[in-house]
Amino acid sequence: MHIGQTDTTSVKCLINSISRFLHLVSCQIVKPAPFQKICHNMVGVLKRLKPVLDDVMDYKLPFHQNMSKECEELDVRINEARDFIEKWGPKMSKILSVIQSSTLLIKLQSTSLDICHMIVRSLQSPPSASVLANLQNYIQELQCLKKETAMVYIEEALRNQRDNVQPSNELLKEIAELLKLTSNEELLKESIVVEKERLNAEVNKMKGDLDEINEIVNLVRNLRDYVMRTESLEVKTGLSIPPYFRCPLSLELMMDPVIVASGQTYDRQSIQKWLDNGLNVCPKTRQKLNHMNLTANYTVKAMIANWCQENSVKLCSNSLLDKSSCITTPADHSLPHDLANKCGFKSMNIDSISRSSLQNGNGNEKPNGDNFVRSSEEYNGCRSGTVERCDQQSSDVHSRSESSFSSSISSTDCILPVSGQASGISDKPQNVDSVVGNKQSPASRIQGTRNGNIVMNNNNINTSAKQNDSRVDSHPILNSGAGEVATSSHVNKLIEELRSQSVEVQTMAAEELRLLTKNDIENRIIVGRCGAVEPLLSLLYSDMKITQEHAVTALLNLSINEDNKTMIMEAGAIEPLIHVLKTGNDGAKANSAAALFSLSVIENNKEKIGRSGAVKALVDLLAWGTLRGKKDAATALFNLSIFHDNKARIVQAGAVKFLVRMMESADGMVDKAVALLSNLSTIPEGRIEIAREGGIPLLVEIVETGSHRGKENAASVLLQLCLHSTKFCILVLQEGAVPSLVALSQSGTPRAKEKAQQLLSHFRNQREGAAAKGKS
């Protein structure tokens, strides 16, 4: 059929749209590659199509009956592309820009190709050879048009992520270079913009868009991790900033490290920029932040300052290092205590620390006197500074979210930097009998701290440290494993000795591996890669208790490394660790619980450990273990309770009874007990057990007299009880909870205020409802 007046409308509109689009692009400023190249390809597609459509109009060529529909569809696509280019700005996400513009280009290409094929099929006898030649050449060009290289790499990376495969460094490098995302500043901008897009999609409930943007968020995170792994950030020639001093968001040296509600640490300027953009999730964990308070991490600030001083690095004049800020060490950049030694961090007594600023969630609170350094042992995901842990009271930062609960995992081998004044020891080396190279042997180092008392294992130093409900290694440390970087050949020799028929040889090898992995990050990697995990696991079944203890502690040390976590789980560690929980000595049991906590940091492992029977063994340790064992068991159980199905397992194992008892004890377990009960109170079985075991009066008392953290979690438990049972509500009121809740609603932490106000509101509603019912 021939074109009629009506049929030409869609073609004319299309030609006009193409002309407007070409004019728009010609007037636009030059855009960054590869976005500019994609726009150029769009122009190429439409610029070559226009003469074809002009021929259709000039020669009144016949065309397929669906031609009008295809022309209208292409017109819509061109308008979409025009809108996108008009709205594009340098503040938009580079990755999202490439994806969206490439998608538009593909649609333009596909629809233009369909139109050309329709014209070819409709031609009976072309009016001239040039028309057909132009048409065929254009079709060939369209078919040969390839995707922009950046888009190809982005698609491959996204496919890898969907298949749970980590994109390769080469792939991430290509994306970063093509999109000019190689600078820390650009990566920070990209992170913020992508997160804002995700938030918009979430608010507007656009599921398809949200899924796509979540994938891009993960890609940006992978790019940041790649830069952190591969970029050696030098502050001066030959001196690179240690990765644990770099902000995981900006990747720069943390001038003013701060802790957010999720327990992660960032530089104040970077995270404040993130928050100022209306973003309320943790960039690292993706966890929603319960509040926007920032709390200073004085430990990390002091360590950075000492590192700068030792390396003659000048901090900027506008540095905020002398002001308050806030932090918690990220899982991937934990701050081992051996770093404190490397950084010359000797002038602070870690155990004499004021925790009030964190508990209050007050980023501006000043420390008292010299005791301003918080211990940085707690870790989000094995946030432990020293693997074999210090028996300090854990502080849950100010976030009450489940994943931010962390314990200072105590240990026999904890080495903490201690003030020379506090310990009465000169900063200069002491006269020591046993020396390894230029380093002090482990026998001359601080072997642990307990409740602020320094415990030394050096015959040349007179100490009167008091051991309060804690254990220090009773055996002398004879070898020089700690503090040395191991060689693969030496580690392989020790692994062979682990398989020896001699129990004594096995014990000495396990002990040396324990020491090698105690503080040294590199040694953990080397020992893990050499294959020590399986022979160490086999020693967990040893009848010799000290061998068992050395082996389980070495595994705990290894588990701090993320790759080793996976390796240990794949080797079948759960059953041997449960065996140690049931049969080991006190130290081995505590370290086994701590190892389970460390492994449970990985989300998938929470379910596996919960199903394995470990919960019952941990509850037994919670009930009958030493104080140190109880603390480690409570920490592990809390982390496991983050996985919903494990809550019922913990309740069924009888944990509530022992947790209620701990609330009235004076052994420093109150806050841990209430924190775990807060999680268990979210299921019916947990609430019933809490009331049955007489927990309500104790919870009311904690709301009145407990710590900031204790009040918060106690109010949370009471709220759960009252919301789900009128009977429990009456019991809470009978205990006289109202005055304490009123006080808490006015002077507590933000979360405590919120819980108290909700409870008081619930009481009022209950009373009004009862009054209305009485009148009727």
Side-chain angles (χ1 to χ4, degrees), residues 23-72:
H23 177 70
L24 169 70
V25 174
S26 68
C27 296
Q28 291 282 311
I29 58 172
V30 177
K31 296 175 176 59
F35 184 54
Q36 181 67 28
K37 187 175 179 183
I38 294 171
C39 290
H40 176 75
N41 287 338
M42 288 182 184
V43 169
V45 168
L46 299 176
K47 204 170 187 179
R48 295 286 286 112
L49 177 63
K50 188 174 181 297
V52 173
L53 296 176
D54 288 337
D55 286 342
V56 170
M57 296 297 295
D58 293 343
Y59 292 101
K60 297 184 178 179
L61 298 177
F63 56 80
H64 194 275
Q65 58 183 357
N66 289 331
M67 180 77 167
S68 295
K69 183 179 177 182
E70 290 297 327
C71 287
E72 289 170 1

Coordinates of all heavy atoms in Angstrom, one line a residue, residues 23-72:
H23 N 20.2 18.4 17.5 CA 20.5 19.8 17.9 C 20.8 19.9 19.4 O 21.8 20.6 19.7 CB 19.3 20.7 17.6 CG 19.5 22.1 18.0 ND1 20.3 23.0 17.4 CD2 18.9 22.8 19.0 CE1 20.3 24.1 17.9 NE2 19.4 24.1 19.0
L24 N 20.1 19.1 20.2 CA 20.3 19.2 21.6 C 21.7 18.7 21.9 O 22.5 19.3 22.7 CB 19.3 18.3 22.4 CG 19.6 18.0 23.8 CD1 19.4 19.2 24.7 CD2 18.7 16.8 24.4
V25 N 22.1 17.5 21.3 CA 23.4 17.0 21.6 C 24.6 17.9 21.1 O 25.6 18.1 21.8 CB 23.6 15.6 21.0 CG1 25.0 15.0 21.2 CG2 22.6 14.6 21.6
S26 N 24.3 18.5 20.0 CA 25.4 19.5 19.5 C 25.6 20.7 20.4 O 26.6 21.3 20.4 CB 25.0 19.9 18.1 OG 23.8 20.8 18.1
C27 N 24.5 21.0 21.1 CA 24.6 22.2 22.0 C 25.2 21.8 23.4 O 25.5 22.7 24.2 CB 23.3 22.9 22.2 SG 22.6 23.6 20.6
Q28 N 25.2 20.5 23.7 CA 25.6 20.1 25.1 C 27.1 20.2 25.2 O 27.9 20.1 24.3 CB 25.2 18.6 25.3 CG 23.7 18.4 25.4 CD 23.2 18.8 26.8 OE1 23.7 18.4 27.8 NE2 22.1 19.6 26.8
I29 N 27.5 20.5 26.5 CA 29.0 20.5 26.8 C 29.5 19.1 26.7 O 28.7 18.1 26.8 CB 29.2 21.1 28.2 CG1 28.5 20.3 29.3 CG2 28.8 22.5 28.2 CD1 28.9 20.7 30.7
V30 N 30.8 19.0 26.5 CA 31.4 17.6 26.4 C 31.2 16.9 27.7 O 31.5 17.4 28.8 CB 32.9 17.8 26.1 CG1 33.6 16.4 26.0 CG2 33.0 18.5 24.7
K31 N 30.8 15.6 27.7 CA 30.6 14.8 28.9 C 31.8 13.9 29.0 O 32.5 13.6 28.1 CB 29.3 14.1 28.7 CG 28.1 15.0 28.7 CD 26.8 14.2 28.4 CE 25.6 15.1 28.4 NZ 25.7 16.2 27.4
P32 N 31.9 13.4 30.2 CA 33.1 12.5 30.5 C 32.9 11.1 29.7 O 31.8 10.7 29.5 CB 33.0 12.3 32.0 CG 31.6 12.6 32.4 CD 31.2 13.6 31.4
A33 N 34.0 10.6 29.3 CA 34.0 9.3 28.7 C 33.7 8.3 29.8 O 34.0 8.5 31.0 CB 35.3 8.9 28.1
P34 N 33.0 7.2 29.5 CA 32.5 6.7 28.2 C 31.1 7.2 27.9 O 30.5 6.9 26.9 CB 32.5 5.2 28.4 CG 32.1 5.0 29.8 CD 32.8 6.1 30.6
F35 N 30.5 8.0 28.8 CA 29.1 8.5 28.5 C 29.1 9.4 27.3 O 28.1 9.3 26.5 CB 28.7 9.4 29.7 CG 27.3 9.9 29.7 CD1 26.3 9.1 29.4 CD2 27.1 11.3 29.8 CE1 25.0 9.5 29.4 CE2 25.8 11.7 29.7 CZ 24.7 10.9 29.5
Q36 N 30.2 10.1 27.0 CA 30.2 10.9 25.8 C 30.2 10.0 24.6 O 29.6 10.4 23.5 CB 31.5 11.8 25.8 CG 31.7 12.7 24.6 CD 30.6 13.8 24.6 OE1 30.1 14.2 25.6 NE2 30.3 14.3 23.4
K37 N 30.9 8.9 24.6 CA 31.0 8.0 23.5 C 29.6 7.4 23.2 O 29.2 7.2 22.1 CB 32.0 6.9 23.8 CG 32.2 6.0 22.6 CD 33.4 5.0 22.8 CE 33.6 4.1 21.6 NZ 34.6 3.1 21.8
I38 N 28.9 7.1 24.3 CA 27.5 6.5 24.1 C 26.6 7.5 23.5 O 25.8 7.2 22.5 CB 27.0 6.0 25.5 CG1 27.8 4.9 26.0 CG2 25.5 5.6 25.3 CD1 27.5 4.5 27.4
C39 N 26.7 8.8 23.9 CA 25.9 9.8 23.3 C 26.3 10.0 21.8 O 25.4 10.2 20.9 CB 26.1 11.2 24.0 SG 25.4 11.2 25.6
H40 N 27.6 9.9 21.5 CA 28.0 9.9 20.1 C 27.4 8.8 19.3 O 27.0 9.0 18.1 CB 29.6 9.9 20.1 CG 30.2 9.8 18.7 ND1 30.2 11.0 17.9 CD2 30.7 8.8 18.0 CE1 30.8 10.6 16.8 NE2 31.1 9.3 16.8
N41 N 27.4 7.6 19.9 CA 26.8 6.5 19.1 C 25.3 6.7 18.9 O 24.7 6.3 17.9 CB 27.0 5.2 19.9 CG 28.4 4.7 19.8 OD1 29.2 5.1 18.9 ND2 28.9 3.9 20.7
M42 N 24.6 7.3 19.9 CA 23.2 7.6 19.7 C 23.0 8.6 18.5 O 22.1 8.4 17.7 CB 22.6 8.3 21.0 CG 22.4 7.4 22.2 SD 21.7 8.3 23.6 CE 21.7 7.1 24.8
V43 N 23.8 9.6 18.5 CA 23.8 10.5 17.4 C 24.0 9.8 16.1 O 23.3 10.0 15.1 CB 24.8 11.6 17.6 CG1 25.0 12.5 16.3 CG2 24.4 12.5 18.7
G44 N 25.0 8.9 16.1 CA 25.3 8.1 14.8 C 24.2 7.3 14.3 O 23.9 7.3 13.1
V45 N 23.5 6.7 15.2 CA 22.3 5.8 14.9 C 21.2 6.7 14.2 O 20.7 6.4 13.2 CB 21.8 5.1 16.1 CG1 20.4 4.5 15.8 CG2 22.7 4.0 16.6
L46 N 20.9 7.8 14.9 CA 19.8 8.6 14.4 C 20.2 9.5 13.2 O 19.3 9.7 12.4 CB 19.3 9.5 15.6 CG 18.7 8.7 16.8 CD1 18.4 9.7 17.9 CD2 17.5 7.9 16.4
K47 N 21.4 9.9 13.2 CA 21.9 10.7 12.1 C 21.8 9.9 10.7 O 21.5 10.5 9.7 CB 23.3 11.2 12.3 CG 23.7 12.5 11.6 CD 25.0 13.0 12.1 CE 25.3 14.3 11.5 NZ 26.6 14.9 12.0
R48 N 22.1 8.6 10.8 CA 22.1 7.8 9.6 C 20.7 7.3 9.3 O 20.4 7.0 8.1 CB 23.0 6.6 9.8 CG 24.4 6.9 10.0 CD 25.1 7.3 8.6 NE 25.3 6.1 7.8 CZ 24.6 5.9 6.6 NH1 23.7 6.8 6.2 NH2 24.8 4.8 5.9
L49 N 19.8 7.3 10.3 CA 18.4 6.9 10.0 C 17.6 8.0 9.4 O 16.7 7.8 8.5 CB 17.7 6.6 11.4 CG 16.2 6.2 11.3 CD1 16.0 4.9 10.4 CD2 15.6 6.0 12.7
K50 N 18.0 9.3 9.7 CA 17.2 10.4 9.1 C 17.1 10.4 7.6 O 16.0 10.6 7.0 CB 17.8 11.7 9.7 CG 16.9 12.9 9.3 CD 17.4 14.2 10.0 CE 16.5 15.4 9.7 NZ 16.5 15.7 8.2
P51 N 18.3 10.2 6.9 CA 18.2 10.2 5.4 C 17.3 9.1 4.9 O 16.6 9.2 3.9 CB 19.6 10.0 5.0 CG 20.5 10.4 6.1 CD 19.7 10.1 7.3
V52 N 17.3 7.9 5.6 CA 16.4 6.8 5.2 C 14.9 7.2 5.3 O 14.1 7.0 4.4 CB 16.7 5.6 6.1 CG1 15.6 4.5 5.8 CG2 18.1 5.1 5.8
L53 N 14.6 7.9 6.4 CA 13.2 8.4 6.6 C 12.9 9.5 5.6 O 11.7 9.6 5.1 CB 13.0 8.8 8.0 CG 13.1 7.8 9.1 CD1 13.0 8.4 10.5 CD2 12.1 6.7 8.9
D54 N 13.8 10.3 5.3 CA 13.6 11.4 4.3 C 13.3 10.7 2.9 O 12.4 11.2 2.2 CB 14.8 12.3 4.1 CG 15.0 13.2 5.3 OD1 14.0 13.4 6.0 OD2 16.1 13.6 5.6
D55 N 14.0 9.6 2.6 CA 13.7 8.9 1.3 C 12.3 8.4 1.3 O 11.6 8.4 0.3 CB 14.7 7.8 1.1 CG 16.1 8.3 0.7 OD1 16.2 9.4 0.3 OD2 17.1 7.5 0.8
V56 N 11.9 7.8 2.5 CA 10.5 7.3 2.6 C 9.5 8.4 2.2 O 8.5 8.2 1.5 CB 10.3 6.7 4.0 CG1 8.8 6.4 4.1 CG2 11.1 5.5 4.2
M57 N 9.8 9.6 2.8 CA 8.8 10.7 2.5 C 9.0 11.2 1.1 O 7.9 11.5 0.4 CB 9.1 11.9 3.5 CG 8.9 11.5 5.0 SD 7.2 11.1 5.3 CE 6.4 12.7 5.0
D58 N 10.2 11.4 0.6 CA 10.4 12.0 -0.7 C 9.9 11.1 -1.8 O 9.2 11.6 -2.8 CB 11.9 12.3 -1.0 CG 12.4 13.4 0.0 OD1 11.5 14.1 0.5 OD2 13.6 13.5 0.2
Y59 N 10.1 9.8 -1.7 CA 9.7 8.9 -2.8 C 8.4 8.2 -2.5 O 7.9 7.4 -3.3 CB 10.8 7.8 -3.0 CG 12.1 8.3 -3.5 CD1 13.2 8.6 -2.7 CD2 12.3 8.6 -4.9 CE1 14.4 9.1 -3.1 CE2 13.5 9.1 -5.4 CZ 14.5 9.3 -4.5 OH 15.7 9.8 -5.0
K60 N 7.8 8.6 -1.4 CA 6.5 8.0 -1.0 C 6.5 6.5 -1.1 O 5.7 5.8 -1.8 CB 5.4 8.6 -1.9 CG 5.2 10.1 -1.8 CD 4.0 10.5 -2.6 CE 3.8 12.1 -2.4 NZ 2.7 12.6 -3.2
L61 N 7.5 5.9 -0.5 CA 7.7 4.5 -0.5 C 6.7 3.8 0.3 O 6.2 4.3 1.3 CB 9.1 4.1 0.1 CG 10.3 4.7 -0.7 CD1 11.6 4.3 0.1 CD2 10.4 4.2 -2.1
P62 N 6.3 2.6 -0.2 CA 5.3 1.8 0.6 C 6.0 1.2 1.8 O 7.2 1.0 1.8 CB 4.9 0.7 -0.4 CG 6.1 0.6 -1.3 CD 6.7 1.9 -1.5
F63 N 5.3 0.9 2.9 CA 5.9 0.3 4.0 C 4.9 -0.6 4.7 O 3.7 -0.6 4.5 CB 6.6 1.3 4.9 CG 5.6 2.3 5.5 CD1 4.8 2.0 6.5 CD2 5.6 3.6 4.9 CE1 3.9 3.0 7.0 CE2 4.8 4.6 5.5 CZ 3.9 4.3 6.5
H64 N 5.5 -1.4 5.6 CA 4.7 -2.4 6.3 C 3.6 -1.7 7.2 O 3.8 -0.6 7.6 CB 5.7 -3.2 7.3 CG 5.1 -4.4 7.8 ND1 4.4 -4.4 9.0 CD2 5.2 -5.7 7.4 CE1 4.0 -5.6 9.3 NE2 4.5 -6.4 8.3
Q65 N 2.5 -2.5 7.4 CA 1.4 -1.9 8.1 C 1.7 -1.5 9.6 O 1.1 -0.6 10.2 CB 0.2 -2.9 8.1 CG 0.6 -4.2 8.7 CD -0.6 -5.2 8.6 OE1 -1.6 -4.8 8.1 NE2 -0.4 -6.4 9.1
N66 N 2.8 -2.1 10.1 CA 3.2 -1.8 11.5 C 4.2 -0.7 11.6 O 4.8 -0.4 12.7 CB 3.8 -3.0 12.2 CG 2.7 -4.0 12.5 OD1 1.5 -3.7 12.7 ND2 3.0 -5.3 12.5
M67 N 4.5 -0.1 10.4 CA 5.5 1.0 10.4 C 5.2 2.1 11.3 O 6.1 2.7 12.0 CB 5.7 1.5 8.9 CG 6.7 2.5 8.7 SD 8.4 1.8 8.7 CE 9.3 3.2 8.1
S68 N 4.0 2.6 11.3 CA 3.6 3.7 12.1 C 3.8 3.4 13.6 O 4.3 4.3 14.3 CB 2.1 4.0 11.9 OG 1.9 4.5 10.6
K69 N 3.5 2.2 14.0 CA 3.7 1.8 15.4 C 5.1 1.8 15.8 O 5.5 2.3 16.9 CB 3.1 0.4 15.6 CG 3.1 -0.1 17.0 CD 2.5 -1.5 17.2 CE 2.7 -2.0 18.6 NZ 2.1 -3.3 18.8
E70 N 6.0 1.3 14.9 CA 7.4 1.3 15.2 C 8.0 2.7 15.2 O 8.9 3.0 16.1 CB 8.2 0.5 14.1 CG 7.9 -1.0 14.2 CD 8.4 -1.6 15.5 OE1 9.4 -1.2 16.0 OE2 7.8 -2.6 16.0
C71 N 7.5 3.6 14.3 CA 8.0 5.0 14.3 C 7.6 5.7 15.6 O 8.4 6.5 16.2 CB 7.4 5.7 13.1 SG 8.2 5.3 11.6
E72 N 6.4 5.4 16.1 CA 5.9 6.0 17.4 C 6.8 5.5 18.5 O 7.1 6.3 19.5 CB 4.4 5.7 17.6 CG 3.5 6.4 16.6 CD 2.1 5.9 16.7 OE1 1.8 5.0 17.5 OE2 1.2 6.4 15.9

